[in-house]
Structure formats: C-alpha cells, structure tokens
Amino acid sequence: MRKNRCTSGILGLAVLSLVIVGCHLVSGTFVIVESFSFTTQTGFYRYEVDITDEEKWEDHKDDISRINVVGFELWITNNESVDVTFNAYIDDADATFYSTYAEVDANATKIIDDLTLAAGPGMVTHITYAQSFNYLRNVGELKRLTKEGRFHCYCVSDGGTYSAFIVDSGKVIITFSAGGI
Amino acid sequence: MKKLYAVFSLLILFSATGHARGPGFGVGFSVGVDLPAIQQDKSKGSVFGFKARFEIIPTIVFEPNISFSNYGSPEFDEFENDIEGSKMTAYGLDVTLGNSIGAMGFKPYMVAGIAMYNHSNESTGDVYDTGGARVGWSAGLGIGLGLSPRFDLDARGKINVATSEGGGSKKSLALTGGLNYYFGGN
C-alpha cells in the first residue's frame, strides 16, 4: 500500500507540472484588422496592404506558424444605371505596382471573381466579413502573401461609366497563429 | 504554491486509497463552460461530453471520452464580426489519480490525458481548412463527491492544449460538472 501511495504521489506531481507549464505557454491565435481606402477611384483601384507595423504582427512575426483566415469588409456605392461586376487581385509586395487592368489580369492572382453589384441612386453594398468568404478564391496564394506581411491589392470594376461607382472603403481581417508550443 | 500542491496531493492519496473498492466500471456525462486562452478568434463557449470510467489499478481511473465545445464569436471594435463561433470536438483518453469508483464522500483528484482535437468553423470552413484533427494533451484538477456506491457528482477544471498545423497550439480551459454512474459492485 505504501508503494502504491508513493507512485500515486509522483504521478500527481507530474500532472501538476504539466499544468504549470501549460499556464506559461505563449502561443496563440491573433486577429489583425487593416482599414483602407483606395488611392484612385476610376474603375481601377490599388492599395498596398501592410500589416508589418501592427503591434501584434511585430510581437509575433518571427514565430508565425499559420495564417488561419483572411477575410474582408467592403463598402461600395454603385450610382450607375447598370449593375457593375467587381474583381479583386493580389500580388507580391516586391513586384511592380501595376497601373493598368491588363497588367494586373496578366500577372496578379484573382481572389474575387465577377462579384455583381446592384445599381441605383445611392445604392450602397456592404459586404460583411462573413459574406466575404462566399466570394474568395485562390486562398492559398492569399495566405502565402499575407504571411509576408505585405501585398498589393487591386480591384477592378466593369460596367457603367465608372464615374458613379465608388469603392468607399474596406477592411482586411487577418487571423493567424503564432508560437512555438 | 508548493505547499498547496503538496496538500492537494496528500488529500488525493488519503481520500482515494482510503475508500477504493477495487476494479470497477462506470459511465458519466458532464456540461460546463469552455474558456479559450490566447485565442482572439474565439470567445467563451459551452462544452458537454461523455466518458466511460475504468478503475483497473486502485486510485487510477482510465477515462475514454468525447466532448463537444461550441465557442462564441468575439466582438471587435474594428469590424463587425458576423461569423459563426467555432466548434471543437475532442476524443481521447484521460487518467485520473484519485476519484476512485464507488468511494463515498469528497474525492479530490488530478487528471491528465491525450486526445485528438478537431476545430471547425461553418462560416469559413468551405474556404479555409482548419487543419483537421490534431493531437494534444490535457491536465487539470477536480473533485468528486460520492453520493452512493453507484453515483458520483464530478467537478473538474482541465486545460486542453491542441497542437496546430505548422506549430503552436490552441489552448482552452474547460470547467465542467457532471454525474457518473457505476455498474456492479456494492
């Protein structure tokens, strides 16, 4: 019986040690949000997503294990008289910043394909974070570029006169895991 | 803190070995809250689970188990987070030191185990895979209350640490209460 109690005590202390170690683990899952507005609004939009100066990113940039999810929010106003189709692309931050749709279509990776936006006076479309997952494609490349911390984002609208279609603003929401254990 | 652990260990030893009735078998269920730790994409959720209990060696009880956690979706100031909360299914084997089957009265115990943890999210799952089931471990403390040789009340706090694809881990603290029923015996 004494031997049995001794064995149980040792096992108990081993379990407690595991608990204590567990309390000091620092790995976790973090969420970063980058708000943006585009520099030009004439049917061709571009923006450099850069989260490298975000505090959470700086704290964990050396031990990021995984980009879990990348989503977005967009507010778009379509005052045109016809529906507009909307596409988005991404490319490496070190690549040339393209200035034409043809260059983007030939070289960048499309992540939103032909999203149709209804037209009308004051017609604002809000694509929520949850809705954004219905439109995303090529997420493997999106995750790869996001892990770099910077990437180019291009948006292209097609339809109408371009003068009454505006991408008002957007947000990129990035969830990543970091930590060694 | 060391004194606290020492006292707890002694409580387990004396309570368990003093009342153990030998080999036994039982089943149980538990419900409670699951608190994600350093997981900004999750908020507090609920958990429920089922387990079997086998006491083959006196004071040491083996518990094959399965549990289901439903996390909340956290609110953020920066954006409208309208996705569903994540879910986690865990199935594995725990071992308790103490909380012997059929023993009466208060029974403090320690618990540790290994499990497969499968995280999922319906809002993002069609686009982003969550890495599938990942191995992990758990450890914690609990207290049983033997109401009769056949029934126990059981409360425990357990840290779950599930490995993540590419490194790192997902951690949570499950605080549960439940009821165990034992077959055979007295």
Side-chain angles (χ1 to χ4, degrees):
Chain A
M1 183 64 78
R2 179 172 292 176
K3 185 180 177 183
N4 188 31
R5 288 185 182 183
C6 183
T7 304
S8 299
I10 292 169
L11 280 171
L13 290 174
V15 171
L16 278 173
S17 299
L18 284 173
V19 174
I20 293 164
V21 169
C23 291
H24 288 89
L25 295 175
V26 294
S27 64
T29 304
F30 306 92
V31 178
I32 288 177
V33 182
E34 170 144 318
S35 301
F36 63 89
S37 55
F38 288 107
T39 52
T40 58
Q41 297 183 338
T42 55
F44 181 78
Y45 310 82
R46 65 185 189 187
Y47 178 76
E48 180 173 340
V49 176
D50 185 352
I51 56 173
T52 57
D53 57 351
E54 293 282 341
E55 186 178 348
K56 292 174 192 171
W57 189 267
E58 287 184 336
D59 289 346
H60 302 284
K61 63 184 177 186
D62 294 328
D63 56 4
I64 293 171
S65 56
R66 189 166 193 259
I67 302 296
N68 299 326
V69 173
V70 184
F72 61 87
E73 261 193 298
L74 280 177
W75 286 263
I76 299 172
T77 301
N78 184 9
N79 286 317
E80 300 280 352
S81 57
V82 296
D83 292 352
V84 169
T85 57
F86 181 80
N87 297 284
Y89 298 77
I90 54 170
D91 199 19
D92 199 302
D94 295 327
T96 305
F97 221 153
Y98 307 118
S99 56
T100 67
Y101 170 61
E103 288 177 312
V104 169
D105 196 45
N107 298 293
T109 301
K110 185 181 279 190
I111 58 168
I112 298 176
D113 188 21
D114 286 342
L115 168 62
T116 301
L117 297 162
M123 177 65 78
V124 176
T125 300
H126 175 208
I127 299 172
T128 70
Y129 179 49
Q131 290 169 347
S132 73
F133 301 111
N134 297 327
Y135 306 115
L136 282 172
R137 53 185 286 188
N138 293 322
V139 295
E141 181 68 358
L142 179 58
K143 289 169 71 173
R144 186 189 73 79
L145 291 177
T146 301
K147 199 170 183 180
E148 301 291 319
R150 297 166 54 229
F151 60 88
H152 291 166
C153 178
Y154 303 91
C155 297
V156 181
S157 63
D158 186 24
T161 63
Y162 301 111
S163 59
F165 178 88
I166 301 168
V167 180
D168 301 302
S169 63
K171 295 179 179 181
V172 177
I173 298 111
I174 297 162
T175 305
F176 68 96
S177 296
I181 302 174
Chain B
M1 187 63 84
K2 287 180 181 175
K3 286 182 181 175
L4 183 65
Y5 294 152
V7 169
F8 198 83
S9 298
L10 287 172
L11 279 172
I12 289 170
L13 291 177
F14 285 117
S15 65
T17 56
H19 298 281
R21 71 172 186 185
F25 166 65
V27 294
F29 77 92
S30 59
V31 297
V33 296
D34 198 338
L35 307 168
I38 324 177
Q39 294 187 72
Q40 295 181 350
D41 61 335
K42 298 181 180 68
S43 62
K44 183 179 76 174
S46 61
V47 58
F48 69 95
F50 304 95
K51 60 177 175 277
R53 305 195 79 222
F54 299 94
E55 186 170 7
I56 300 166
I57 305 166
T59 78
I60 297 176
V61 182
F62 294 87
E63 295 182 346
N65 62 84
I66 185 167
S67 66
F68 307 90
S69 298
N70 291 288
Y71 295 106
S73 190
E75 292 185 4
F76 292 87
D77 293 335
E78 301 97 326
F79 74 103
E80 178 189 341
N81 185 19
D82 59 338
I83 65 172
E84 300 283 324
S86 299
K87 300 179 189 300
M88 181 183 76
T89 302
Y91 48 94
L93 178 68
D94 286 350
V95 179
T96 69
L97 177 62
N99 201 15
S100 287
I101 288 177
M104 302 286 285
F106 286 99
K107 301 178 288 184
Y109 66 91
M110 299 177 187
V111 59
I114 57 172
M116 298 299 291
Y117 297 89
N118 192 4
H119 290 82
S120 63
N121 187 298
E122 290 182 4
S123 296
T124 62
D126 290 341
V127 183
Y128 293 97
D129 95 69
T130 52
R134 305 287 300 182
V135 71
W137 58 270
S138 63
L141 301 171
I143 188 163
L145 174 59
L147 302 174
S148 76
R150 289 190 183 278
F151 284 102
D152 275 352
L153 292 178
D154 186 351
R156 70 178 61 174
K158 195 170 76 165
I159 295 170
N160 292 295
V161 181
T163 58
S164 291
E165 186 182 11
S169 61
K170 295 179 186 295
K171 293 174 286 296
S172 64
L173 171 64
L175 302 172
T176 58
L179 183 67
N180 301 322
Y181 175 80
Y182 302 116
F183 300 95
N186 298 327

